Amino acid sequence: MATGTDKTESRKTIYVLNGPNLNRLGAREPAIYGHSTLKDVESLCREAAARHGFAVEFRQSNHEGNLVDWIHEAGDKGVAGVVLNPGALTHTSVSLHDAIKSIETPVIETHISNIHAREPWRSHSYVSPAAKAVVCGFGIAGYALAIDGIAAMSERKDRR
């Protein structure tokens, strides 16, 4: 059971969750995804979050169930928000959609490439209807934009 202190610390944490094949960043299709590695993305996220006084819990899995469990965990802990790059699960996962709908924590769907400017099948997202917002096409800078968005939402919530 989380204590009051745990909940306060959780509200100052952002989960950054990465789906299948994102561990291959820097090696996989650099013409589309660039040369930055997942470690570079993690550094960028930590820097962006620190500017707003947030900590980052950064994770990657090639397994859908792990992502579902981490979304549930983020909701149960009451974190400030979740930046989710579901990778190819974007186009197939009803489970991620349902996991996002099961929590009150804002989730920002994030993609390095513009999924709408690629193959037609990539334009459909099961995640988008459940997400609070979508960021795509900005390269890895999109992660920082998503973190900025969560910080802005958190600030508005704190002012109420």
Side-chain angles (χ1 to χ4, degrees):
M1 178 63 59
T3 66
T5 303
D6 293 338
K7 282 287 189 186
T8 300
E9 289 174 16
S10 291
R11 283 194 294 273
K12 295 303 284 177
T13 300
I14 296 171
Y15 273 40
V16 179
L17 306 179
N18 295 278
N21 298 312
L22 287 159
N23 57 309
R24 305 288 302 149
L25 282 178
R28 178 181 175 230
E29 299 183 85
I32 295 172
Y33 301 109
H35 294 281
S36 298
T37 65
L38 193 60
K39 197 72 172 154
D40 297 330
V41 173
E42 181 176 2
S43 294
L44 177 134
C45 289
R46 291 191 187 286
E47 290 168 13
R51 284 194 297 271
H52 299 287
F54 287 95
V56 166
E57 183 66 34
F58 193 91
R59 300 177 184 177
Q60 187 277 330
S61 180
N62 291 321
H63 305 283
E64 183 175 18
N66 289 340
L67 294 166
V68 169
D69 290 343
W70 295 337
I71 291 167
H72 293 167
E73 178 183 304
D76 291 346
K77 286 187 173 184
V79 302
V82 175
V83 175
L84 173 64
N85 185 339
L89 292 172
T90 302
H91 321 294
T92 63
S93 183
V94 174
S95 296
L96 288 178
H97 171 99
D98 289 350
I100 295 165
K101 295 289 278 188
S102 79
I103 66 172
E104 294 182 19
T105 303
V107 174
I108 299 184
E109 178 184 357
T110 305
H111 298 281
I112 295 168
S113 69
N114 180 351
I115 63 173
H116 303 289
R118 296 184 59 197
E119 302 92 340
W121 57 267
R122 289 191 191 269
S123 293
H124 176 74
S125 171
Y126 282 95
V127 174
S128 294
K132 181 76 172 173
V134 179
V135 176
C136 69
F138 290 96
I140 68 168
Y143 284 84
L145 294 171
I147 288 168
D148 291 345
I150 289 170
M153 284 185 269
S154 181
E155 187 178 304
R156 281 195 307 270
K157 189 175 179 182
D158 288 347
R159 283 192 296 223
R160 285 189 227 154

